[in-house]
Amino acid sequence: MSSSTNRYDLWAPETRANPLPVYARMRQEAPLVRLVDPYYKTPVWVATRYKDAVDLMRDARFTKDIQKVPEDSPSRQLRTKSMEAINQHMLSVDPPDHTRLRTLVSKAFTPRRVEELRPRITAIAHRLLDGVQASGSMDLLDAFAFPLPVTVIAEMLGVPQEDQEQFREWTNVIVNPPTDGNMQTIETAGLQFAQYFQGLLARRRAEPRDDLLSALLSVEEQGDRLSPRELISMLFLLLVAGHETTVNLIGNGIWALLTHPEQLERLRANPALIESAVEEMLRYRGPVETTTQRWAPQDLEFRGQVIPAGESVVASLLAADHDPEHFREPERFDITREPNRHIAFGFGIHFCLGAPLARLEGTIAINLLLERLPRLRLAEEPARLRWRDGVLVNGLLRLPVTF
Ligand code: HEM
């Protein structure tokens, strides 16, 4: 089925450039709207109202575990061998496994531990800007927004610098929809990823270091708390999260500022507003547009709608964060918005583990960009900027700027 058979074409390029009008209509229609993902050809029910999105995310009747879904369901048929090798992570399981896996790494991501990274993150950001400052122009994503969080998560995990370009390719293939319909590319990237980590883990086993990889390895060796497959999957999840999210907080955030000059001036005049500005960037155009899927293990009723067994539901965080029932003038980008209880990091037990890290990276990055590049401007008409395919990650393909 092509996307044009959907009543709401969430996947069309013009929708990707601005999904809000489509979401506004969906919010009017019903608590859940059923669409068919044009890439995977699977049905997905989308919640767009704030209250429904929150209730859906905390509804324990839905499962994150594909193994609990009837075997003949289309989503389950799509699973490939490589995905199974990297899919035993906290975001694909329910309690008690979820609790066990999350607890193993949660200490490394608390606000206090993350705050200790401030000097290092600042130094990386400076170094990246040193590299481009003289040139007067750059693709902000490529030169700055991407390498910053990637370097940070790679250092935390203990992944060698020189392998980072390779991760970029793999994570990109795995997270983005197969626009050519070829699942084989994803399969191959997943297998290569798993193999790469087998090799790296073997080296760390022989020679442990002071990094997350060595710490997780010692947990695995103790036996019953982390299986080899769970370990690879955990590394995969952390790397993907580190590669595909904060880059778009910085990119979408700078895009929002450059297309709202009066807000940019306010922030330049009062840099202390940075934290509140980053919260508004997360709300206004958060990097994660919809949650990952939850499935109905059997027929389930939600707000009067029966979700047949095996079908999936997602919450549109972007739509919920623009719900006029919850936010005053939601279409306005206001860096001093108060209150601003957005759900860009999700809600409930799967609430983003990396939120403190992402917030810190975002504030440091945007602060420094404004401080060091006082003449920062878009180098392209906003209408000509192109946005990524797919509804999971919302972000620009390129963000050309001059300064
Ligand atoms: C601005 C950047 C980020 C945003 C907007 C974001 C958003 C989200 C969202 C919405 C979820 C929940 C998904 C769902 O329920 O289906 C999530 C989960 C998660 N995020 Fe993030 N994320 C960001 C950055 C990061 C970073 C930097 C890391 C760590 C390196 C990270 C690690 C995780 C993990 C491990 C989970 C799964 C938590 C669980 O299942 O308990 N995220 N994130």
Side-chain angles (χ1 to χ4, degrees), residues 57 64 89-93 98-99 101-102 105 109 149 152-153 156-157 234 237-250 278 282 286-294 314-315 317 342-359 361-362 392:
M57 284 187 277
K64 296 272 342 160
H89 52 65
M90 69 184 95
L91 195 49
S92 307
V93 292
H98 171 263
T99 325
L101 293 172
R102 186 163 169 133
V105 282
F109 290 94
V152 172
I153 191 68
M156 280 178 86
L157 284 171
M234 173 95 79
L237 176 66
L238 294 175
L239 272 174
V240 167
H243 276 67
E244 298 286 333
T245 52
T246 312
V247 47
N248 296 310
L249 166 58
I250 301 169
V278 164
L282 284 160
V288 178
E289 180 169 327
T290 58
T291 61
T292 55
Q293 293 167 310
R294 279 117 176 101
V314 301
L317 304 172
H342 65 76
I343 49 172
F345 288 117
F347 192 88
I349 62 166
H350 294 284
F351 179 85
C352 179
L353 177 75
L357 177 61
R359 284 182 159 125
E361 290 172 335
L392 179 62

Side-chain angles (χ1 to χ4, degrees), residues 76-363:
R76 196 146 168 195
Q77 306 277 311
L78 265 183
R79 293 287 134 156
T80 61
K81 233 172 73 215
S82 72
M83 283 180 197
E84 272 164 30
I86 53 176
N87 225 355
Q88 282 289 311
H89 52 65
M90 69 184 95
L91 195 49
S92 307
V93 292
D94 300 325
D97 287 333
H98 171 263
T99 325
R100 173 175 55 86
L101 293 172
R102 186 163 169 133
T103 309
L104 286 176
V105 282
S106 58
K107 265 209 250 106
F109 290 94
T110 59
R112 240 181 73 208
R113 279 293 289 282
V114 162
E115 185 56 38
E116 292 167 11
L117 299 173
R118 184 183 285 273
R120 181 65 194 137
I121 299 173
T122 309
I124 299 168
H126 270 299
R127 177 172 55 76
L128 291 168
L129 289 183
D130 290 345
V132 288
Q133 184 118 28
S135 72
S137 69
M138 64 173 158
D139 171 6
L140 192 136
L141 298 186
D142 216 45
F144 183 73
F146 183 79
L148 176 65
V150 165
T151 308
V152 172
I153 191 68
E155 285 187 2
M156 280 178 86
L157 284 171
V159 170
Q161 281 272 341
E162 61 271 21
D163 298 336
Q164 289 179 15
E165 199 47 43
Q166 185 61 72
F167 287 130
R168 183 179 194 173
E169 267 171 48
W170 289 331
T171 53
N172 216 298
V173 169
I174 295 168
V175 170
N176 289 309
T179 41
D180 57 358
N182 186 358
M183 293 294 287
Q184 188 57 44
T185 337
I186 298 188
E187 168 88 340
T188 310
L191 283 173
Q192 287 172 338
F193 184 94
Q195 274 162 11
Y196 168 85
F197 266 104
Q198 304 291 6
L200 186 59
L201 286 168
R203 278 187 275 151
R204 275 296 184 290
R205 211 169 261 130
E207 229 180 287
R209 292 193 197 163
D210 182 22
D211 55 32
L212 214 50
L213 217 112
S214 306
L216 286 170
L217 207 53
S218 76
V219 175
E220 186 215 28
E221 278 164 358
Q222 286 157 28
D224 58 348
R225 287 201 297 157
L226 187 67
S227 75
R229 222 170 90 192
E230 287 172 337
L231 173 56
I232 298 275
S233 304
M234 173 95 79
L235 298 173
F236 170 71
L237 176 66
L238 294 175
L239 272 174
V240 167
H243 276 67
E244 298 286 333
T245 52
T246 312
V247 47
N248 296 310
L249 166 58
I250 301 169
N252 297 1
I254 290 291
W255 163 81
L257 284 176
L258 296 180
T259 50
H260 295 83
E262 77 297 343
Q263 297 295 312
L264 175 61
E265 282 323 304
R266 280 175 91 187
L267 185 54
R268 282 197 188 282
N270 185 1
L273 289 176
I274 185 67
E275 275 164 21
S276 146
V278 164
E279 293 310 307
E280 179 65 345
M281 291 165 192
L282 284 160
R283 183 198 72 84
Y284 186 72
R285 201 73 185 254
V288 178
E289 180 169 327
T290 58
T291 61
T292 55
Q293 293 167 310
R294 279 117 176 101
W295 284 279
Q298 65 272 326
D299 290 0
L300 283 181
E301 195 181 316
F302 183 87
R303 300 273 196 271
Q305 175 68 57
V306 175
I307 314 298
E311 295 201 355
S312 73
V313 291
V314 301
S316 171
L317 304 172
L318 183 66
D321 281 339
H322 287 259
D323 185 347
E325 293 286 311
H326 194 82
F327 294 95
R328 204 167 2 100
E329 294 185 79
E331 319 271 289
R332 227 178 53 162
F333 178 60
D334 174 3
I335 61 166
T336 56
R337 182 176 289 274
E338 176 68 40
N340 187 359
R341 276 203 289 283
H342 65 76
I343 49 172
F345 288 117
F347 192 88
I349 62 166
H350 294 284
F351 179 85
C352 179
L353 177 75
L357 177 61
R359 284 182 159 125
L360 183 64
E361 290 172 335
T363 49

